[in-house]
Amino acid sequence: MLWRHVRIGTFAILVVAGLFAADGAFAQYVAPKFPAAWTYEAPTGPAQWGDLDPSYAACKTGTHQSPIDINGAAPAELSPIKFDYKLTPLKIVNTGYTVQVNYGEGSSITVNGSVYNLVQFHFHHPSETAIDGQRADLELHLVHRNAQGQLLVVAVLMKAGSENYPLHVLWGKLPTDVGKEAEYKKVQLNAEDFLPNDHNYYTFSGSLTIPPCSEGVTWYVMQKPVEVSSAQIAAFAKFFPNNARPLQPDNGRGIQESSFKKSSAE
Ligand SMILES: [Zn+2]
């Protein structure tokens, strides 16, 4: 499946280049042109990722891998995330691993004075992150990058309940062809519509949850889930029965939780 190698190669190079661009020590790093294909099932599943390709070593040797089970978070004086998401025309692609929406330029968040641009968002089934050992039905990952190439993921857990309207719009455009981005100029969406009203979060240091599992990714997991209907969960599960990496050891990395009042979070 040549397309898969080409696509993953491009993705990995972009991610790796972005992660190492800020670090002079890695300025000479050249990503392999065609990293190995990987899947969510053996023999090329999560337990094997670290052995599939030298550039995936962090999947096996990393100490701050994602996802994790969030428990025992420490309350801390934290700043609210300032969301500045704009409407964008829908650009959606089935990557073969998930459904991904590529976001137009000009949307960002600001945390602790640093601006991170929203690059794309995508979904996992079931959720990758667990809270007190419980996984949710779906998880949304909003992927951001700052000017230094550092990555930050805002994660929203989704559980069975009422229909989720913004998801209804997306699911109506789920692409079946893998690797081909479809653009709908007349369909406008705003990622803000996927967020819970309460913007309290858990935060910790982690990694990409797919190869090359690069670390140095800052995670912000919304404490409150949003609802999606069972039919919406089933519609995604039909394409992606399981695209969640197993939980990784916490290794005492320290998880902090915010506790601002709802009004100050908006
Ligand atoms: Zn993800």
Side-chain angles (χ1 to χ4, degrees), residues 122-124 128 141 143 153 209-210 219:
H122 61 265
F123 299 85
H124 295 271
E128 297 198 298
H141 285 163
V143 182
V153 177
T209 65
I210 60 171
W219 282 78

Side-chain angles (χ1 to χ4, degrees), residues 30-213:
V30 178
K33 207 168 181 190
F34 299 114
W38 55 272
T39 62
Y40 283 100
E41 301 86 32
T44 52
Q48 293 87 32
W49 288 352
D51 297 315
L52 295 177
D53 192 291
S55 68
Y56 300 170
C59 303
K60 188 167 70 170
T61 60
T63 56
H64 285 58
Q65 289 289 292
S66 292
I68 56 169
D69 177 37
I70 296 173
N71 61 71
E77 289 282 327
L78 299 165
S79 310
I81 303 171
K82 186 176 172 290
F83 290 93
D84 187 14
Y85 290 163
K86 308 267 188 338
L87 278 171
T88 188
L90 176 61
K91 289 183 190 171
I92 189 166
V93 59
N94 177 339
T95 67
Y97 297 116
T98 187
V99 170
Q100 179 173 312
V101 170
N102 293 321
Y103 220 80
E105 285 180 23
S107 288
S108 63
I109 60 170
T110 305
V111 276
N112 299 318
S114 297
V115 178
Y116 291 80
N117 291 306
L118 176 58
V119 181
Q120 50 103 333
F121 65 80
H122 61 265
F123 299 85
H124 295 271
H125 170 266
S127 81
E128 297 198 298
T129 304
I131 297 180
D132 293 327
Q134 295 286 317
R135 284 188 135 157
D137 297 301
L138 289 176
E139 182 169 352
L140 163 67
H141 285 163
L142 297 141
V143 182
H144 305 75
R145 188 189 294 126
N146 70 6
Q148 288 75 42
Q150 294 163 319
L151 298 179
L152 182 156
V153 177
V154 172
V156 180
L157 298 173
M158 306 175 121
K159 62 167 195 181
S162 324
E163 185 176 53
N164 182 300
Y165 182 72
L167 210 59
H168 173 84
V169 174
L170 281 194
W171 272 201
K173 304 289 185 196
L174 276 187
T176 49
D177 285 358
V178 171
K180 231 183 355 187
E181 182 189 82
E183 183 171 3
Y184 300 90
K185 289 200 169 74
K186 287 180 184 158
V187 181
Q188 299 270 324
L189 66 102
N190 191 328
E192 192 161 353
D193 296 337
F194 290 100
L195 298 173
N197 292 329
D198 182 334
H199 291 176
N200 274 295
Y201 58 74
Y202 301 104
T203 185
F204 50 90
S205 172
S207 73
L208 301 178
T209 65
I210 60 171
C213 308

